[in-house]
Amino acid sequence: MSGFVEGLREVYFEDDGVIPNSGLPVLMYREVLKDRLGDVEAVFNGNGWLNSWVNGVFGYHHYHSNSHEVLGVVSGEVTVQLGGEQGQAFTLVAGDVVVLPAGTGHKRLEASEDFRIVGAYPGGMSYNTRTGETGEYEQALGEIPQVPLPDTDPVFGVDGPLVRLWRGEN
């Protein structure tokens, strides 16, 4: 299925007892918007991923237990660690998009001075920020399964790979 879109990669992370992560895969679209860097936010918004912002990525492990999130690099590059302390580091460059299912840990390890990223949420959902503080984990385990699956892929809309992959369709 990952061949559905050239440059698409699916990555899974285990629950580490602090960061829950998700049974859904993180989706990484390499260079998918490299020719539309000025339109990344509009692409996400046009596909129903709203409540968007342009900024950076926190330099500490965090996750959202009540919403999925899409991140699209619009300038520079960043190395992020996904999945918590036991996770994996990835370098993202302008044009890359990563979709994080609710519960997926993420942290900026390093970034170029010109790094900027757009974030958005399906249907414009409000999001919380969990950091692994005492008491958050159990609450998050109850919240994550309640997060609805998105109706659209943030890059490719209703026919995009996210819709099929996250629903287990071929």
Side-chain angles (χ1 to χ4, degrees), residues 47-123:
N47 287 311
W49 289 63
L50 307 167
N51 191 15
S52 54
W53 48 266
V54 180
N55 202 337
V57 176
F58 293 135
Y60 53 85
H61 291 288
H62 66 286
Y63 64 95
H64 313 293
S65 61
N66 64 347
S67 182
H68 308 297
E69 181 177 40
V70 63
L71 300 171
V73 181
V74 294
S75 65
E77 75 175 48
V78 63
T79 301
V80 292
Q81 184 169 10
L82 302 179
E85 288 291 337
Q86 307 305 313
Q88 188 176 348
F90 298 90
T91 298
L92 305 173
V93 299
D96 288 350
V97 172
V98 61
V99 186
L100 305 172
T104 302
H106 47 295
K107 170 187 177 178
R108 182 193 73 246
L109 297 176
E110 58 185 15
S112 62
E113 285 190 30
D114 61 341
F115 167 67
R116 287 290 172 264
I117 201 162
V118 172
Y121 309 87

